[in-house]
Amino acid sequence: MSFSSEEGSAELKDPRIVFQNLHSVLDENIAFFRGQGSSEPARRFVAVFSLIQSHARSLEPAVHAFTSVYHVFDFDAATPANGYRSLVKVVLSCLLHIVHKGRYVSSSRRSLFFRASHNVTELESYCSALCQLRALVYFAQRLLTANRHGDLFFLEERGLSEEFVRQYASMHKGCFYGRCMGFQFTPAIRPFLQTISIGLVSFGENYKRHQSGIGVAASSFFTSGKYAMDPELRGFEFERITQNLDVNFWKAFWNITEMEVLASLANITSTTVRVNKTLSVPPHSFELPLAADPRLRVTITPPVAHCGPAPVNMRLLSYELKEGQDSEELSSLVKQDGSSLNIDLRLKPRRGPPSKYLLVHFHGGGFVAQTSKSHEPYLKSWAHELDTPILSIDYSLAPEAPFPRALEECFFAYCWALKNCHLLGSTAERVCLAGDSAGGNLCLTVSMRAASYGVRLPDGIMTAYPATLLTATASPSRLLTLIDPLLPLSVLSKCLSAYAGTEPMPQKRAEKVNTMSLVRKDTALLLRDFRLGASAWISSLLDNGRGGKNSGTDTVRKSVSEAALNAPQSDPVPLDSGVPGTSFSKKRDSLKSQTCQDLGSHTPFGTSPPGQQGALQSQDGRQQQPEDVSFFLTEDSEEGHPDSQLPLVVVPEVEEEPGFVLGPPRCPSPSSSAPQEFPEGFEPLRSDQLADMKLQTSPIVQNPFMSPLLAPDDMLRELPPLHIVACALDPMLDDSVMFAKRLRAVGQQVSLCVVEDLPHGFLSLSQLSRETKDAANICVQRIREVFHCEAPPRTQRKHRKLERTNHGTGGAAGAEPGEEPGTVTSQPSVEIGA
């Protein structure tokens, strides 16, 4: 259900208005339905409105307390954005949806066409969502008091970060993937997210049953009907898939956009460009001049990590044909893949002069999926609007090629572009790096590696929603991974473990198959899925056409969310309650959906006795399984640890309102008694599908070339001007805010722009709505600023090997004046290998 964005934005600015309107609507509806007797619909309406009211009364003081302090964590006064603001905004957005649904119920409940079952089921879904959000608010309170100096991240290996992962594994998330899908985003995005969720669960059902891609796609289409008709079933399946399936499933699903049919359709609707070539650059060494002393040259060696030397693939896009782009030398590098259907009906033009600018692009995809083909639609628009050649790098993907392979290939491609810019239609007077998500991370690390090698740095960087800390460290914005349909924590951790090289590689059995056997098998499964899909559609239509009368087998439809109304873990917490311990290993008795009869059974989380829940390590503190995956940041006693270099922000003292406690004090040591997760009398809804998120410390994620936020100050000072475009509702928002703060603290030029109401990955949705198009235009404007803004000359230091060999001399690496410049085979001063 949607509402006016202008009205919603006005109400979100003042939480008191939201709560006043909510209580008014709830009181009026409770009074009305209590007077309607003991009918089933009236009972359910009274129960759900009463429970929503109890949740709201407990949330109200917490929300008011956050609004008084969350400005401390902003980047600056002109950029009011951080994870605490985002969490409060999501809570208020959920309450606004309830207010508008409650008003609709008040105005329509006497109508003959009022669908009582449908409306109460939707309210129950939002009630379940509000219960889970309440748990996140309690967790954010503890982060607020546990984090030191106002930092957004809990930079400790154990403690709250470990506890959040443990809580995430057992908390119910299906309510956010059914009727409440994408409620926090702009209304124009929600239909797309619902389509993605239906496609995902249909794809997951057929993923291992077919051996050909066309079989999976066709069967997914025929089985999607039941998920479109039943939001509860869709939410249940979505949660199951995100909890348990491995990274190879996500690679396959996200790469659907790489299919020839979909790619051709996207190319037809996107901007037409003159040049769209896939290049394969051979792994040959070459030399570049040092930025500090052009008389010396550094040897750039090809990537070798994990896979050995191999060609690096990249895509060249240009709106107009420019000098050098049709040269024989470039044509010898073209890889004929027949991937794009690019119809250009314009007359054959003459070659234009080379551009002064060059844009090098690194695509997103969690380091595990997608290529430049998936990002072609908005890159073609950029090539037109900027009139600039764009070189998008198709780096190798994890888990087959983990860190640092992607970084090596991207750096090699960047250096190759500098040396061969004449082939790309550019003089490279101004060079900009651009990337989104994982590509934003690579933009930063490639620049850091260029500084380490001593070669020319880009003139600026534009990153969209970058990942700067590749750990499972808790932060207020990362709490949103519980509700985000595009970035669930379980999926995010699988992608990061694959990039870190700690994701186990599945062993594939070699089977002798032929084309006819594949066709016969997929055809049989396809016909069965068609029959089942048609049956599901017909059954759903018959169920909807039975009218409003109750029958012996179908009284009023029970939803998964109705289980929250009678479950003991959802009881409201009194305002004057303390924070004693609770246990979430209770059994739940819940009502079952007709489609999923087992949704109400909740398995106890863990088998540990009280006080030892979630302890996945042995008593001596070591991990039981060395192959388990974790991205926790370990304590580092080395000099210059990034903990001491984060900007210091002092949180002002806040008077606690009645019934609100900012959080229990941080546990001083693992041996002391663990603080309780939630106040007495409250427990979030639990899932019977536990996520497989095992914990193990992986030191490689602390490498600054993998997590730039952990880089020392001297490395950050060498970065070029940086423009960050982030999303207010993105779980990775705190990555952008804290990285911008660190750069500002060391005196680097940085800007941060935060767009509202859009999900992570909005660049790939730029053609979907006006809001996503406007956000993509902001990225274009930041790139244009890099090209046209004359920055002051940078004093780039010499290559680090030269600093050691040429210390105290004015010559070049020990060379006497007049001697020929030498050649240095460069190695970075910070190891980037495992």
Side-chain angles (χ1 to χ4, degrees):
M1 181 178 180
S2 63
F3 53 88
S4 169
S5 58
E6 290 80 4
E7 179 185 357
S9 300
E11 289 182 318
L12 285 174
K13 293 180 181 178
D14 192 349
R16 289 179 174 82
I17 298 177
V18 177
F19 284 101
Q20 289 174 4
N21 292 336
L22 177 68
H23 291 307
S24 175
V25 170
L26 294 177
D27 290 338
E28 195 274 336
N29 276 290
I30 291 174
F32 174 83
F33 285 106
R34 278 179 176 168
Q36 297 302 304
S38 59
S39 64
E40 180 74 6
R43 181 193 65 81
R44 290 175 65 189
F45 272 116
V46 171
V48 70
F49 281 130
S50 300
L51 188 54
I52 290 173
Q53 192 171 57
S54 299
H55 287 317
R57 285 172 177 167
S58 297
L59 282 169
E60 188 169 4
V63 169
H64 291 327
F66 276 125
T67 58
S68 64
V69 298
Y70 56 29
H71 65 278
V72 175
F73 301 91
D74 295 334
F75 174 66
D76 54 31
T79 314
N82 61 72
Y84 293 113
R85 286 185 182 270
S86 301
L87 183 58
V88 169
K89 183 174 182 179
V90 169
V91 172
L92 296 180
S93 178
C94 183
L95 294 177
L96 278 176
H97 278 80
I98 295 174
V99 168
H100 285 267
K101 173 55 71 172
R103 289 173 177 171
Y104 172 79
V105 171
S106 298
S107 62
S108 307
R109 63 199 176 197
R110 297 183 183 274
S111 172
L112 293 176
F113 303 99
F114 179 65
R115 296 185 296 168
S117 178
H118 169 80
N119 285 282
V120 74
T121 300
E122 187 168 346
L123 283 168
E124 289 163 357
S125 297
Y126 278 101
C127 181
S128 295
L130 191 62
C131 176
Q132 304 304 79
L133 290 175
R134 180 178 166 189
L136 296 185
V137 168
Y138 287 146
F139 206 93
Q141 294 173 6
R142 299 179 60 189
L143 280 175
L144 187 63
T145 54
N147 288 350
R148 53 195 178 194
H149 308 307
D151 293 337
L152 289 171
F153 287 103
F154 185 80
L155 292 179
E156 289 188 9
E157 178 183 358
R158 300 299 179 188
L160 291 179
S161 294
E162 179 185 26
E163 183 181 325
F164 174 61
V165 174
R166 179 168 58 86
Q167 289 287 343
Y168 175 93
S170 66
M171 286 180 65
H172 171 63
K173 295 168 278 291
C175 58
F176 296 107
Y177 306 142
R179 298 180 187 271
C180 303
M181 170 69 74
F183 71 89
Q184 67 271 36
F185 301 123
T186 180
I189 295 293
R190 293 173 204 156
F192 167 79
L193 295 177
Q194 292 175 355
T195 304
I196 288 294
S197 66
I198 294 172
L200 174 65
V201 296
S202 301
F203 188 86
E205 182 178 347
N206 298 279
Y207 173 57
K208 293 186 177 180
R209 293 163 48 192
H210 296 269
Q211 296 182 357
S212 64
I214 187 64
V216 176
S219 293
S220 300
F221 174 77
F222 288 119
T223 58
S224 62
K226 57 184 177 182
Y227 300 117
M229 288 292 185
D230 193 333
E232 277 73 36
L233 177 60
R234 182 173 70 238
F236 174 82
E237 285 296 310
F238 197 105
E239 180 178 5
R240 179 187 65 82
I241 290 172
T242 56
Q243 294 278 72
N244 300 316
L245 289 187
D246 58 22
V247 71
N248 293 292
F249 167 80
W250 296 101
K251 287 172 68 76
F253 179 72
W254 288 334
N255 285 335
I256 288 179
T257 54
E258 307 279 331
M259 295 177 62
E260 298 300 331
V261 176
L262 296 180
S264 298
L265 291 176
N267 286 331
I268 292 175
T269 58
S270 61
T271 304
T272 301
V273 295
R274 293 283 189 184
V275 179
N276 185 354
K277 299 181 178 181
T278 303
L279 309 179
S280 180
V281 177
H284 299 156
S285 300
F286 56 88
E287 295 180 351
L288 281 180
L290 291 178
D293 190 349
R295 297 178 303 163
L296 295 177
R297 306 183 71 81
V298 58
T299 300
I300 306 298
T301 56
V304 295
H306 300 292
C307 310
V312 177
N313 298 324
M314 53 194 77
R315 184 180 301 271
L316 175 63
L317 298 169
S318 181
Y319 183 70
E320 296 289 352
L321 180 64
K322 298 184 181 298
E323 182 179 337
Q325 294 177 344
D326 58 350
S327 63
E328 294 184 1
E329 186 176 356
L330 184 68
S331 298
S332 64
L333 302 176
V334 173
K335 179 182 178 182
Q336 299 295 337
D337 57 357
S339 59
S340 32
L341 179 61
N342 195 22
I343 302 176
D344 191 349
L345 301 180
R346 296 175 295 176
L347 297 176
K348 184 69 176 179
R350 295 168 54 184
R351 289 180 298 176
S355 172
K356 296 189 299 182
Y357 315 120
L358 178 63
L359 179 64
V360 181
H361 172 262
F362 306 128
H363 66 81
F367 301 102
V368 302
Q370 299 190 333
T371 65
S372 60
K373 184 191 297 185
S374 305
H375 298 252
E376 262 191 69
Y378 72 82
L379 289 179
K380 290 180 177 179
S381 299
W382 289 6
H384 181 203
E385 296 176 36
L386 297 169
D387 192 23
T388 302
I390 299 177
L391 188 67
S392 184
I393 314 305
D394 288 327
Y395 52 87
S396 298
L397 302 174
E400 293 80 7
F403 176 85
R405 181 70 187 199
L407 173 58
E408 288 185 354
E409 292 185 358
C410 290
F411 175 70
F412 181 83
Y414 166 73
C415 294
W416 182 89
L418 293 181
K419 182 177 180 62
N420 299 277
C421 60
H422 60 285
L423 302 178
L424 307 177
S426 172
T427 59
E429 295 179 28
R430 304 282 294 179
V431 178
C432 177
L433 297 187
D436 68 308
S437 191
N441 175 285
L442 291 171
C443 287
L444 300 172
T445 54
V446 165
S447 299
M448 291 163 56
R449 200 174 197 208
S452 176
Y453 269 66
V455 299
R456 173 189 172 180
L457 292 175
D459 297 283
I461 304 174
M462 192 289 298
T463 61
Y465 37 88
T468 64
L469 184 62
L470 302 189
T471 72
T473 304
S475 82
S477 74
R478 294 191 176 190
L479 299 180
L480 299 180
T481 54
L482 183 81
I483 72 173
D484 195 285
L486 299 179
L487 280 183
L489 180 61
S490 54
V491 178
L492 190 62
S493 66
K494 288 181 175 65
C495 294
L496 299 185
S497 63
Y499 185 53
T502 53
E503 182 75 7
M505 292 288 294
Q507 298 294 331
K508 297 182 179 180
R509 294 185 304 173
E511 298 180 357
K512 293 185 177 181
V513 295
N514 55 60
T515 304
M516 291 305 299
S517 64
L518 291 178
V519 171
R520 283 195 297 269
K521 179 178 179 180
D522 282 349
T523 302
L525 291 172
L526 182 62
L527 292 176
R528 185 187 67 177
D529 291 336
F530 176 76
R531 184 178 64 256
L532 295 177
S535 176
W537 277 89
I538 294 174
S539 299
S540 300
L541 293 175
L542 291 177
D543 289 341
N544 293 335
R546 289 177 181 174
K549 295 184 178 180
N550 296 338
S551 62
T553 58
D554 184 12
T555 54
V556 178
R557 179 177 178 83
K558 305 297 191 298
S559 69
V560 179
S561 304
E562 189 182 354
L565 300 180
N566 300 322
Q569 71 272 17
S570 298
D571 292 340
V573 56
L575 294 182
D576 57 347
S577 64
V579 193
T582 58
S583 173
F584 52 80
S585 59
K586 305 173 183 177
K587 293 184 178 180
R588 274 68 177 178
D589 296 326
S590 60
L591 298 171
K592 298 180 177 61
S593 169
Q594 287 183 342
T595 351
C596 304
Q597 297 297 326
D598 297 330
L599 285 184
S601 60
H602 296 264
T603 17
F605 174 76
T607 56
S608 304
Q612 299 179 5
Q613 295 174 356
L616 300 185
Q617 68 277 2
S618 58
Q619 294 182 355
D620 59 358
R622 293 178 297 178
Q623 299 295 327
Q624 295 177 350
Q625 297 181 0
E627 68 274 11
D628 294 347
V629 179
S630 173
F631 303 96
F632 293 133
L633 185 64
T634 55
E635 296 181 0
D636 191 350
S637 58
E638 296 180 1
E639 184 178 358
H641 187 267
D643 279 3
S644 61
Q645 298 161 358
L646 294 177
L648 303 182
V649 183
V650 180
V651 182
E653 296 183 358
V654 181
E655 295 183 0
E656 298 179 1
E657 299 187 32
F660 172 70
V661 182
L662 283 180
R666 182 167 46 179
C667 183
S669 66
S671 60
S672 62
S673 59
Q676 301 302 327
E677 293 87 351
F678 304 107
E680 183 179 11
F682 171 78
E683 268 289 311
L685 300 175
R686 297 296 174 181
S687 174
D688 60 345
Q689 305 179 86
L690 303 183
D692 184 17
M693 300 179 63
K694 301 176 182 179
L695 306 179
Q696 179 192 355
T697 299
S698 179
I700 196 172
V701 299
Q702 302 178 51
N703 192 313
F705 286 100
M706 189 172 183
S707 296
L709 184 61
L710 303 180
D713 288 351
D714 60 341
M715 293 182 69
L716 296 181
R717 290 191 183 98
E718 296 177 349
L719 287 176
L722 173 63
H723 301 282
I724 304 176
V725 181
C727 307
L729 300 179
D730 182 9
M732 309 302 291
L733 170 64
D734 290 339
D735 291 53
S736 298
V737 175
M738 289 303 296
F739 194 73
K741 285 184 176 182
R742 284 216 60 200
L743 288 180
R744 183 181 60 186
V746 298
Q748 286 299 97
Q749 183 178 345
V750 58
S751 72
L752 175 64
C753 176
V754 181
V755 298
E756 300 289 338
D757 303 328
L758 294 181
H760 185 93
F762 66 78
L763 277 178
S764 298
L765 314 176
S766 58
Q767 305 299 324
L768 200 61
S769 67
R770 176 181 55 84
E771 293 85 352
T772 54
K773 179 63 175 177
D774 293 341
N777 288 337
I778 295 175
C779 297
V780 174
Q781 180 60 32
R782 295 297 182 267
I783 297 173
R784 190 175 283 114
E785 290 177 10
V786 173
F787 286 150
H788 298 285
C789 178
E790 292 296 334
R794 295 175 53 84
T795 56
Q796 186 170 358
R797 70 183 191 183
K798 294 183 178 180
H799 182 272
R800 294 180 181 177
K801 180 178 289 187
L802 298 182
E803 290 182 341
R804 297 190 296 268
T805 59
N806 194 32
H807 182 68
T809 67
E816 294 295 329
E819 290 185 356
E820 292 294 323
T823 301
V824 178
T825 302
S826 176
Q827 297 293 335
S829 60
V830 180
E831 294 297 330
I832 65 173

